Every structure is written in structure tokens, then in C-alpha cells.
Amino acid sequence: MSVPSSATISPLSNVADAPVTVAVTGAAGQIGYALLFRLAAGALLGPERSIRLHLLEVPQARAALDGVIMELEDAAFPALQGIVATDDPMVAFRDAEQVFLVGARPRGPGMQRGDLLQANADIFRTQGRALDAVASRSVRVVVVGNPANTNALIAQRHAPSLDASCFSAMTRLDHNRALAQLAAKLRCGVADIRRLCVWGNHSSTQYPDVSYATVAGQPLAAQLEPAWLEQQFLPAVTERGAAIIQARGASSAASAASAAIDHMRDWVLGSTDWVSMALPADGAYDIPEGLVYSFPVQCSDGQASIVRELDISAASRERMDRSQDELLQELEAIRSLLP
Amino acid sequence: MSVPSSATISPLSNVADAPVTVAVTGAAGQIGYALLFRLAAGALLGPERSIRLHLLEVPQARAALDGVIMELEDAAFPALQGIVATDDPMVAFRDAEQVFLVGARPRGPGMQRGDLLQANADIFRTQGRALDAVASRSVRVVVVGNPANTNALIAQRHAPSLDASCFSAMTRLDHNRALAQLAAKLRCGVADIRRLCVWGNHSSTQYPDVSYATVAGQPLAAQLEPAWLEQQFLPAVTERGAAIIQARGASSAASAASAAIDHMRDWVLGSTDWVSMALPADGAYDIPEGLVYSFPVQCSDGQASIVRELDISAASRERMDRSQDELLQELEAIRSLLP
């Protein structure tokens, strides 16, 4: 990421209103490809609001990124006012108001989990520092690249001049997957289900929690067998990524991009129901402060607020603790890279 | 395409308003993947209007299609009321109101152009008959799969009970590519350019015509060197597909999907400017009746109307004729398959 930047600017529009700057890392990857065209079409703020895209990629992906940019130009989006392509986060994040950190180092052959955490910690330290230096002071950052929660923690800790509330990691895909499983089981619409949440880490220890959920206003859990929830629902949600790879021969891309859009749109415009977002813990539910942990969240006036003072059952607490313990282990593995 | 259908219905929503049925063929391909999530998010009729997706694929692509459907479910689109997956066009097109014919046979090793036309003629004959039998009487069909114009002609000719105006082929990607090239050259926004059009076949003989175009209300052609238009602009537009493949290592997908959405949305909701659509010729500009030929079009009240009585220069006419001749040759190659 230390290669000199090669920024290109394509002036696509002279729309008069001030454009919003949206930065996407890993822009030439599969999630990036699914994300960029929806962003340029106005998925976040509507097709009338002009937008500048700042695209970050590693130099090796430059040709692929050029191809993506050509296609973005060819889509002739009226609101797409410009595209900056770069391998320098200081260029990519300049004045960025919404940032999707999608790019991450995948696990290579022979790589241990600790190696993976370290490799990503390097990337997200650099990106956190760049955000600290040049992003909008009210930037909203969502980390999609795995291990998302700990990557977000690293970026946040290296951005001391930004409020911790600028940072988040994505558990909305898990949340949406849980909604889809429940809606299929209950033969209802996803919008009929409310007050669902996912706690913890975006990993196999995540806890999709139906304790507070309702369907058409009635308690949801009462309508389902505990055995189904335990043996079918929870594994279906946590193992969904593997099932997609099995079917598609490729990992989830468009559904992940869609969840990232949901996450950012609700954060900016407000949510009409609980959503799940991994946020720096502030003491709520006794999660150690600073851990980036997924909570039930309500968004309004541009702020994401943890839903507080829910009664937590002993069974829920055990699952929440398991995910917390995993995050603490991840933190230990990269502690030497924190400031 | 004669394999017994295997239809699955995923009841995703109980939204009360009548859903619109949108059918997509080649649904598991790259353009399909880029298209479906934007459709489900409401790109055509807004996120409030409920939608049913009917997805057609060949049996060999069934596993991949299952993966795409899983991801569509996981995106938890509130308006996505159901998904039907099938290899039977009679199932896919039942009551369909908007149809994207994306799937087509690509040219295989050793295949001649005539073989390719024949192979696709078989597919589009079957699909035309199925549309004739089961689609909504006001269905709008856009053919994206190549050779798009002639595929659309074949489908239309096998659907005698549907009005010919139900059928079209996509030249909007060419139109949008031309807009993007002009906007980059003139350093203006794509929306500043009006009255552009693409004539003829969606192929290398297409004719992107700036004769009537304006930029910020002023004649456009006067602001550009004829040599640039001839030697840079026209090749850049007609060879753009190859340039994308060169850069991306894959053919245009998201930009093609985006153009298909633009085409259908403007057809249904109306256009604010000329757009390019390949429509069955009705005698306008002396194009032989029935050929599916791209014209400048204005859409309103759900109707696509050819812009008539433009003055055609001798140079334009020569290019228009070249594309018409190519379409007549394509027609000859498949005439034995017409009713």
C-alpha cells in the first residue's frame, strides 16, 4: 500500500450540488463489482444526489480496476460526478463521507489464523491512519473485509482524532440471512419480522438472537420449536456462506454488497426497525469497552444507537460470551500493532 | 429447453399489493447476476413495488442458479415477493410483464456465424412461442443475448398473438457508451448531452449518430473535429466491448445489466430524452418492415415511439444501410426457422 498513488479523475458530470464522496476498497473484487454499480445508481442517497467514487485497489489489480471504471463510465449514471482510482489510502479517503472497507487479505495456503490477523492488521492500521488524516470528520466507515470486527477495531484505534462512533463492522449480512431463514420457515415476508438481532463477531461464533423478535406483532420464538431454532436455524445462518460457495462455486458477493448498502443507508437515513451493526463497545451489556461487537441498533438522525437494557437470558449470555471471548483472542493476536 | 420444468417457489413476502412479474433468462450468468439484485432492490419501479422474479436457466446451470437464489433470499429485499426457478419457458414467462432475454448461445470452438445464428434461432423461437402462449398481453420484452436484433425478430415472429411493439432488442449499452465517450471528450455530464442516437444492429455495424445531438442546448457536432468523431469516437464505441474484456479479463456484465434496466425503466416510466432501442421497423426511414432495427426513440405512457422525420444525410444513410444489410443477411440465415 506504500506504492506511489496513481490517481485518475474522470469528470463525468457538472451537476451543481455538492457531491458526496464514497470510498470503496477492494474495488475490483467481486463484492466491489456488485457494490459500485448500485452505489452509482443511487442506492444510498437516491439517484438525484451526485456522488464521487474513490476506489482503492492494490497495484496488481489495477488492470481489472480500469475495466470496472470503464464499465461504470459506460453505465452513464447521471449522478456519478467523478471517479478516483488509486492504490494510496491517503488519496482514496480524502474528504470521504462514506467508506466501505471491503478489501482484505484472504487466507493463503499454509497461513495460520494468527498470520491472517497480522496481515490484515497491517492493512487496516494503514487505512485507519489515512482515515484519521484525511477523511471527513463525520465519516462513516463500515468494514466488510474479514476478520471484519477486529479489522474495524484496528482501524478505529489508529484514528484517534475521529470519534469512535465513525467506525463499524458489518453483521447485516448475518442479520439478513437470519431474516430470510425465519421468513421462509414462517411463510411470511421479511418485513413482517421485527426486533431480530445478531450479537458478537462476524464469524461462526455470532449469535443470531430471536428472543425479542416479533412476527406480525406477535412473539416469534413462541411460534417455533426450540429444537428447530437450535439445530436448523442457527447452523443455517452461520454456515450460509459455505452453502453459497458450494452452490455457486464462488463466495457471496451480491448479497454481501446488498447488506453493506443496507448497513450504510440505514446508518445515514435511519432505520425503521432494529438492525445489527458491530460497533465499538461502550460498556453496554458488559462487553469490554472498545471491542467491535455486534449489537441490536436503532439508527436515527445519522446516529447508530445500541438498543439498551434488554433482559439477557443465561443461554443468550453464554453465546454472547463465547463470541466475546473469540474477539478478545483476536485482539491478543494483534495487540502489538495497536498504538 | 424441453426438459420438464422444476419450479420452486419461495414465498418471501406477503405484501398486499399486486406484484409485477419480471422474467430473466440466463439468470445464473454474469449479466443476470448483475441484473437480478438491482431488479429486486426496486431499480425498475421503486423499492415499494412488490416483484416476483421468474428465472430461466438451462439445467446445467441449475446449481449456480440455486446459489444466486440463495443470495437473493439473503439480501432480504422487502419487495421481493417470490422467486420461480425453472428450465421451462412456459413456466418462466407465465403472466410476465417485463422480460429480459439475457441468455443466448455463445459462439463455441469451430462454430461459424451461421451455426451461431441457427443455434440461437432455436432458443428464441421456443421462447417466442412461450411468450405468445403465457405472457401478459402487454408484456415488454428486451433481448440482450446476441445476436440481439435477430433474436428479437425471431421471438417476435413466433408470437403472433402479441403486438409487435411488445418486442425490442437492447442498443442502450451502445447509446450509453457513446454518451460516456462524448461526455469525457467534452468534459461535461452525460445528462448535458441530448438527442444522441444509435441506428441499426447491436454489432460492429451500429451507427452512433451525433447529427442531432446537443450539449447544454448547443449543437454538439460543431464542437468536435470530424476526424475525432470518425477515427476516435466511432471505433471507441463499437470496440468498447473488446476493450473491457482486455482490461477485466471478462466481458461487460454490470454495464450491460445497467443498460437493460435503463431500457426497461424508460420504456415503462417514460424517457426525458431520446433513447436508443431496437424495435420492429414499421416503415420509418425506409427500413424494411419487421427488421428489428435501432432507432431514436421517445417513451411516454408506456409506449416507445420512433422519432420520425429526421433529415438523414447521405453519409448517415450509408452507415444506416450497412447495418440494415447486415440484418438482412442475418435474416436470410434464419429464414427457414420463421413461421
Side-chain angles (χ1 to χ4, degrees):
Chain A
M1 309 306 284
S2 59
V3 182
S5 75
S6 76
T8 59
I9 298 182
S10 314
L12 292 174
S13 173
N14 58 7
V15 175
D17 59 332
V20 59
T21 296
V22 179
V24 178
T25 73
Q30 292 304 308
I31 297 175
Y33 191 66
L35 181 60
L36 293 174
F37 292 80
R38 289 189 61 195
L39 293 177
L44 284 182
L45 300 172
E48 307 300 322
R49 179 66 187 274
S50 65
I51 184 174
R52 291 173 61 83
L53 288 174
H54 286 194
L55 310 182
L56 184 75
E57 258 300 357
V58 292
Q60 309 89 280
R62 185 57 203 236
L65 183 60
D66 285 344
V68 174
I69 292 171
M70 291 165 75
E71 284 207 76
L72 281 167
E73 292 170 346
D74 289 354
F77 292 113
L80 181 56
Q81 201 188 50
I83 302 171
V84 172
T86 180
D87 55 29
D88 182 350
M90 293 288 282
V91 174
F93 299 151
R94 182 165 300 282
D95 300 326
E97 290 166 70
Q98 298 164 2
V99 176
F100 296 83
L101 300 182
V102 178
R105 177 81 177 273
R107 194 185 291 209
M111 214 172 174
Q112 299 301 309
R113 186 168 171 79
D115 302 334
L116 183 71
L117 282 159
Q118 288 276 342
N120 277 293
D122 280 340
I123 295 170
F124 285 84
R125 176 172 60 176
T126 304
Q127 295 187 355
R129 287 174 176 166
L131 287 162
D132 196 53
V134 299
S136 161
R137 296 301 89 182
S138 57
V139 64
R140 289 177 180 83
V141 179
V142 57
V143 176
V144 176
N146 287 320
N149 296 50
T150 296
N151 289 343
L153 178 149
I154 293 163
Q156 185 266 313
R157 294 288 292 277
H158 285 92
S161 74
L162 292 170
D163 197 275
S165 69
C166 295
F167 288 84
S168 69
M170 184 173 92
T171 50
R172 184 65 173 266
L173 180 55
D174 308 303
H175 181 103
N176 285 350
R177 284 168 169 171
L179 277 179
Q181 292 295 319
L182 293 167
K185 177 71 174 175
L186 294 164
R187 304 189 74 79
C188 67
V190 288
D192 299 326
I193 298 170
R194 300 179 64 83
R195 294 165 52 102
L196 176 74
C197 68
V198 175
W199 301 95
N201 197 5
H202 173 61
S203 76
S204 60
T205 68
Q206 65 172 272
Y207 173 39
D209 184 0
V210 301
S211 306
Y212 321 100
T214 62
V215 54
Q218 300 301 309
L220 181 147
Q223 302 181 37
L224 295 168
E225 294 291 328
W228 182 84
L229 285 168
E230 187 74 24
Q231 292 158 29
Q232 307 286 326
F233 170 70
L234 290 178
V237 174
T238 55
E239 295 160 19
R240 185 71 164 179
I244 302 272
I245 290 173
Q246 176 78 16
R248 287 189 69 219
S251 57
S252 308
S255 56
S258 200
I261 288 167
D262 290 348
H263 176 116
M264 190 65 83
R265 186 199 57 224
D266 286 349
W267 198 355
V268 173
L269 300 181
S271 63
T272 56
D273 181 24
W274 295 5
V275 292
S276 299
M277 296 173 68
L279 300 174
D282 63 357
Y285 301 105
D286 297 324
I287 306 302
E289 229 168 292
L291 271 196
V292 175
Y293 191 94
S294 182
F295 295 99
V297 166
Q298 283 267 26
C299 301
S300 63
D301 298 324
Q303 300 297 318
S305 306
I306 297 169
V307 177
R308 294 174 195 274
E309 298 182 10
L310 296 169
D311 284 329
I312 307 288
S313 71
S316 286
R317 175 57 69 179
E318 192 185 321
R319 288 186 185 277
M320 289 165 65
D321 285 349
R322 197 181 314 157
S323 208
Q324 170 186 314
D325 290 346
E326 184 184 46
L327 284 168
L328 289 170
Q329 286 165 25
E330 290 183 11
L331 177 60
E332 271 318 300
I334 53 82
R335 193 180 287 279
S336 66
L337 291 171
L338 293 182
Chain B
M1 310 306 286
S2 59
V3 181
S5 76
S6 74
T8 57
I9 296 181
S10 313
L12 293 175
S13 174
N14 58 7
V15 176
D17 59 333
V20 59
T21 296
V22 180
V24 178
T25 73
Q30 291 305 307
I31 296 175
Y33 191 67
L35 181 59
L36 293 174
F37 291 80
R38 289 189 61 192
L39 293 177
L44 283 183
L45 299 172
E48 306 299 323
R49 179 65 187 275
S50 66
I51 183 173
R52 291 174 60 84
L53 288 174
H54 286 194
L55 309 183
L56 184 75
E57 256 301 354
V58 292
Q60 310 90 279
R62 185 58 203 236
L65 183 60
D66 285 344
V68 174
I69 292 170
M70 291 164 75
E71 284 207 75
L72 281 167
E73 292 169 347
D74 290 353
F77 292 112
L80 181 56
Q81 201 185 52
I83 301 171
V84 172
T86 180
D87 54 31
D88 182 351
M90 294 288 282
V91 175
F93 299 150
R94 183 165 301 281
D95 301 326
E97 292 166 70
Q98 297 164 1
V99 176
F100 295 85
L101 300 183
V102 178
R105 178 81 177 273
R107 193 184 291 210
M111 212 173 176
Q112 299 302 309
R113 185 168 171 80
D115 303 333
L116 182 72
L117 282 159
Q118 288 275 343
N120 276 293
D122 280 340
I123 295 171
F124 286 84
R125 176 171 60 177
T126 305
Q127 295 187 355
R129 287 174 176 165
L131 287 162
D132 196 52
V134 299
S136 162
R137 296 301 90 182
S138 58
V139 65
R140 289 178 181 83
V141 179
V142 58
V143 177
V144 176
N146 287 320
N149 296 50
T150 296
N151 289 342
L153 179 149
I154 293 163
Q156 185 267 313
R157 293 287 293 276
H158 285 93
S161 74
L162 292 170
D163 197 275
S165 68
C166 294
F167 289 84
S168 68
M170 184 173 92
T171 49
R172 185 65 173 266
L173 180 55
D174 308 304
H175 181 103
N176 285 350
R177 285 168 168 171
L179 276 180
Q181 292 295 321
L182 293 168
K185 177 71 174 176
L186 294 164
R187 304 189 75 78
C188 68
V190 288
D192 298 327
I193 298 170
R194 299 179 67 83
R195 295 163 52 100
L196 177 73
C197 68
V198 175
W199 301 94
N201 197 4
H202 172 60
S203 76
S204 60
T205 68
Q206 66 173 272
Y207 173 39
D209 184 359
V210 300
S211 305
Y212 321 100
T214 61
V215 52
Q218 300 302 310
L220 181 147
Q223 301 181 37
L224 295 167
E225 293 292 327
W228 181 83
L229 284 167
E230 188 74 25
Q231 291 158 30
Q232 305 288 324
F233 170 70
L234 291 177
V237 173
T238 56
E239 295 161 19
R240 185 70 164 180
I244 301 272
I245 291 173
Q246 176 78 16
R248 286 190 70 220
S251 57
S252 309
S255 56
S258 199
I261 288 168
D262 289 348
H263 176 117
M264 189 66 83
R265 187 199 56 224
D266 286 348
W267 198 356
V268 174
L269 299 182
S271 63
T272 55
D273 181 26
W274 294 6
V275 293
S276 299
M277 295 172 69
L279 300 174
D282 63 358
Y285 301 105
D286 297 322
I287 306 301
E289 229 168 292
L291 272 195
V292 175
Y293 192 95
S294 183
F295 295 99
V297 166
Q298 282 267 24
C299 301
S300 62
D301 298 325
Q303 301 297 318
S305 306
I306 296 169
V307 177
R308 293 174 196 275
E309 299 183 9
L310 296 170
D311 284 328
I312 307 288
S313 70
S316 286
R317 175 56 71 180
E318 192 185 321
R319 289 186 184 277
M320 289 165 65
D321 285 350
R322 197 181 314 158
S323 208
Q324 170 186 313
D325 290 346
E326 184 184 46
L327 284 168
L328 288 170
Q329 286 166 24
E330 291 184 11
L331 177 60
E332 271 319 298
I334 55 83
R335 192 180 288 280
S336 65
L337 291 172
L338 293 182

